[in-house]
Amino acid sequence: MSNRVYLFDTTLRDGEQSPGVSLNVSEKVQIARQLAKLGIDVIEAGFPVTSPGDFAAVQAVAREVKGVSVAALARANFNDIDRAWEAVKDAEQPRIHTFIATSDIHLKHKLRKDRQQVLEAAVAAVKHACRYTSDVEFSAEDASRSDLDYLCQVLEAVIEAGAKVVNIPDTVGYTMPDEFKKFIESIIDRVPNIHKAVISVHCHDDLGLAVANSLAAVAGGARQVEGTINGIGERAGNAALEEVIMGLYTRKDLYGLVTNVTTEEIYRTSRLVSSLTGMMVQPNKAVVGKNAFAHESGIHQDGVLKERTTYEIMNPAMLGITRSNIVLGKHSGRHAFRERLAELGYNLSEEEINRAFGRFKDLADKKKEITDQDLEAIVEDEIRELPNTYELSYLHISSGTTIVPTATVGLKIDGETVEEASCGDGPVDAIYKAIDKITNLHLVLEEYVINAVTGGKDALGDVTVKLRRRDNGRTFIGRGVSTDILEASAKAYINAANKVVYESKMKS
Ligand code: KIV
Ligand code: ZN
């Protein structure tokens, strides 16, 4: 058996099924490019039949992201498969991923089909997909709750029909690690042609065991692991790929297996996904959480200072997390700034560097010590790939404990500044009402989150908002960063409004 584990990332499909997450085409392409840089083997870019937006995103990823397989999801019917192929066919290595449930619960209540009908649909789907490409993956949805004999019968039949990868999902996060390992071993024992396919697993985190189950399955012989960055996904989410990767790496003594990943890209990928989806990473999250390498106890600090490995099983530098705290200040020049950004892994054009440098200088006037986190925040805030319809020109606020909060906002639209003023329940509400008067977009603020990028009174405020369109219910994430939290709030709202306009333009 090969010692290579393939990583299949479904952040753009299952990850996007996280409640409230909605990415536009440009954001999906941005994430896919970063996943390719990370060294992911297969990117599942979407489920094309579900909407024209999903189709367009899969097509854009397939056309623009190179050096990686791009998969499109399809139920086990010809129409889904035809749409999936149409969307993915221009990829360097296109894959069709077709699925049907095999558990009796799903057969009886959802599909209303008997076992023979499902088996026939699975085989027909795989044969149909194989007319387009030899790279066909079949998933037996809810496999872990399926009858093992029947599942093995389906797997044998789809491999015979041409499936090159057979995926065993723990769709509802029900299985336990020991049990799942034995389940995979039994499949290997019982399916006579299993050596002709790669066994994949796809675990959900309903009981918090998605990563443990994935690793157990690998120990049992699975060689493809599906998951998402930061573990986002349907309900409690999917297996967090960064944890799977670092589990295999850190315990290579135990597993003896390798992946194709450039681990130094892990942290950056995690930040990008968090920033574009608006799904915050909890501070104590394994591998990429803010506290994952923070040592609070004096005994631990002492140990780490004497020898890092006393309390650290992974080197944060390996994940692309830099340790330098005070990197640049007011007197730092463009050269030092550019060098530091390059060290942090940002590969920016001259125009982007100029814009980011302007922001850096403004910040350095207000904040004495500029850390890597500050740099990451301003670069990510400044360098957005979407065309901006609205830009903040100025903002005046009048607020206090005894007056009605009032905001005057100037937005630049096509080079002209448009001004509006409004009162509100608080200064942020007043700003948002003034912006609404200018944009006329009919948006509802669903979530507002503010974080400090670093500690201290002069810390940058990082605001994330989720806005919902009243007409079609679509949600949009916006982010803004500034030492002034009201300015950060305005920028976040404007960022989301720009995404609304972008999506409308793409559709018209
Ligand atoms: O969880 C699941 O079973 C899935 C399949 C479509 C692979 O997402
Ligand atoms: Zn899933």
Side-chain angles (χ1 to χ4, degrees):
M1 194 178 287
S2 153
N3 73 342
R4 169 83 147 80
V5 176
Y6 295 91
L7 295 166
F8 178 111
D9 180 281
T10 183
T11 305
L12 302 180
R13 198 275 301 169
D14 221 330
E16 217 217 5
Q17 287 172 220
S18 306
V21 169
S22 148
L23 297 162
N24 61 43
V25 173
S26 151
E27 289 167 334
K28 285 193 179 176
V29 171
Q30 222 179 313
I31 291 176
R33 283 209 187 100
Q34 181 57 36
L35 291 171
K37 233 171 148 187
L38 175 64
I40 289 297
D41 299 289
V42 187
I43 297 173
E44 183 161 66
F47 192 173
V49 84
T50 55
S51 71
D54 240 57
F55 182 94
V58 175
Q59 191 168 57
V61 171
R63 288 180 177 168
E64 292 175 40
V65 184
K66 301 296 165 201
V68 62
S69 278
V70 180
L73 186 66
R75 285 167 298 186
N77 69 60
F78 289 10
N79 182 45
D80 276 32
I81 293 169
D82 294 343
R83 285 300 279 167
W85 177 250
E86 199 47 41
V88 87
K89 66 180 184 201
D90 294 334
E92 255 176 18
Q93 305 159 54
R95 172 179 293 188
I96 297 175
H97 177 196
T98 184
F99 74 99
I100 191 164
T102 50
S103 69
D104 288 336
I105 301 180
H106 279 237
L107 263 61
K108 182 169 171 214
H109 300 290
K110 187 182 82 175
L111 299 176
R112 304 216 164 96
K113 285 188 191 318
D114 64 27
R115 288 183 176 184
Q116 185 58 28
Q117 286 172 310
V118 165
L119 187 134
E120 281 167 15
V123 169
V126 169
K127 282 191 176 155
H128 188 66
C130 285
R131 290 194 192 106
Y132 291 125
T133 171
S134 59
D135 193 349
V136 173
E137 170 170 340
F138 172 78
S139 280
E141 192 189 8
D142 206 18
S144 58
R145 292 194 299 168
S146 302
D147 174 73
L148 183 59
D149 285 339
Y150 174 61
L151 176 65
C152 289
Q153 213 186 321
V154 173
L155 296 178
E156 183 180 349
V158 294
I159 294 170
E160 180 63 33
K164 292 287 183 296
V165 180
V166 284
N167 187 31
I168 315 296
D170 180 29
T171 302
V172 288
Y174 177 74
T175 199
M176 292 286 148
D178 266 8
E179 181 188 36
F180 203 43
K181 176 171 183 264
K182 286 190 194 122
F183 199 67
I184 301 297
E185 286 168 345
S186 304
I187 289 171
I188 294 173
D189 278 352
R190 292 190 198 195
V191 178
N193 54 0
I194 197 74
H195 59 281
K196 293 190 182 160
V198 172
I199 299 180
S200 169
V201 288
H202 173 114
C203 297
H204 279 269
D205 209 30
D206 299 64
L207 291 171
L209 292 168
V211 170
N213 285 330
S214 305
L215 292 173
V218 166
R223 285 296 176 267
Q224 175 176 284
V225 176
E226 304 194 357
T228 59
I229 299 301
N230 301 335
I232 64 171
E234 189 81 42
R235 303 182 312 279
N238 291 61
L241 277 185
E242 67 279 6
E243 294 178 23
V244 172
I245 293 163
M246 291 317 290
L248 290 174
Y249 180 84
T250 308
R251 297 308 310 272
K252 51 184 174 306
D253 58 317
L254 198 67
Y255 293 102
L257 298 170
V258 293
T259 68
N260 183 43
V261 162
T262 304
T263 57
E264 286 76 9
E265 294 294 333
I266 286 179
Y267 181 62
R268 201 163 304 122
T269 313
S270 162
R271 280 191 62 96
L272 181 68
V273 169
S274 170
S275 147
L276 294 181
T277 58
M279 298 274 287
M280 304 292 167
V281 173
Q282 73 198 56
N284 60 327
K285 158 96 175 57
V287 181
V288 291
K290 196 168 146 215
N291 295 349
F293 296 96
H295 303 278
E296 191 70 21
S297 123
I299 297 172
H300 288 206
Q301 286 172 351
D302 180 57
V304 169
L305 286 174
K306 286 180 177 142
E307 166 56 40
R308 190 189 57 76
T309 54
T310 51
Y311 286 99
E312 278 181 4
I313 58 166
M314 293 168 271
N315 186 344
M318 257 203 80
L319 306 168
I321 300 173
T322 50
R323 273 256 164 97
S324 66
N325 281 327
I326 304 163
V327 283
L328 299 172
K330 195 167 163 170
H331 303 293
S332 308
R334 189 181 297 265
H335 183 70
F337 177 75
R338 184 199 302 267
E339 295 265 295
R340 189 68 205 137
L341 288 188
E343 278 161 23
L344 289 172
Y346 291 103
N347 197 355
L348 305 184
S349 68
E350 206 51 35
E351 195 254 320
E352 288 169 330
I353 291 197
N354 287 342
R355 267 164 45 210
F357 188 64
R359 280 291 294 277
F360 161 72
K361 279 292 181 189
D362 286 348
L363 181 63
D365 278 339
K366 297 176 189 147
K367 196 171 186 289
K368 216 167 116 210
E369 299 168 344
I370 299 196
T371 65
D372 286 343
Q373 287 111 300
D374 291 325
L375 286 182
E376 283 166 355
I378 58 173
V379 169
E380 285 164 20
D381 191 45
E382 196 59 37
I383 313 304
R384 305 213 187 264
E385 293 195 357
L386 286 187
N388 284 341
T389 305
Y390 309 113
E391 262 177 61
L392 182 67
S393 288
Y394 53 83
L395 177 66
H396 302 298
I397 318 283
S398 156
S399 182
T401 50
T402 54
I403 57 166
V404 177
T406 313
T408 305
V409 177
L411 294 191
K412 205 188 276 171
I413 308 171
D414 289 336
E416 299 280 317
T417 296
V418 181
E419 182 184 283
E420 278 292 351
S422 182
C423 301
D425 290 336
V428 173
D429 187 45
I431 293 168
Y432 290 177
K433 284 189 170 133
I435 295 174
D436 284 344
K437 281 188 184 172
I438 301 173
T439 61
N440 209 16
L441 286 174
H442 309 288
L443 303 172
V444 181
L445 178 67
E446 293 242 301
E447 267 177 48
Y448 174 95
V449 180
I450 181 158
N451 282 306
V453 173
T454 51
K457 277 192 291 192
D458 58 358
L460 276 175
D462 182 345
V463 173
T464 301
V465 294
K466 188 188 287 172
L467 306 186
R468 182 171 47 79
R469 276 178 70 154
R470 270 184 221 280
D471 52 354
N472 61 11
R474 299 259 307 140
T475 54
F476 298 82
I477 302 294
R479 197 172 153 217
V481 173
S482 169
T483 46
D484 177 337
I485 57 170
L486 293 176
E487 185 182 346
S489 304
K491 284 178 150 189
Y493 200 86
I494 294 165
N495 179 229
N498 278 325
K499 290 183 189 177
V500 176
V501 176
Y502 170 79
E503 189 180 88
S504 306
K505 280 188 185 154
M506 294 293 285
K507 282 189 175 155
S508 60

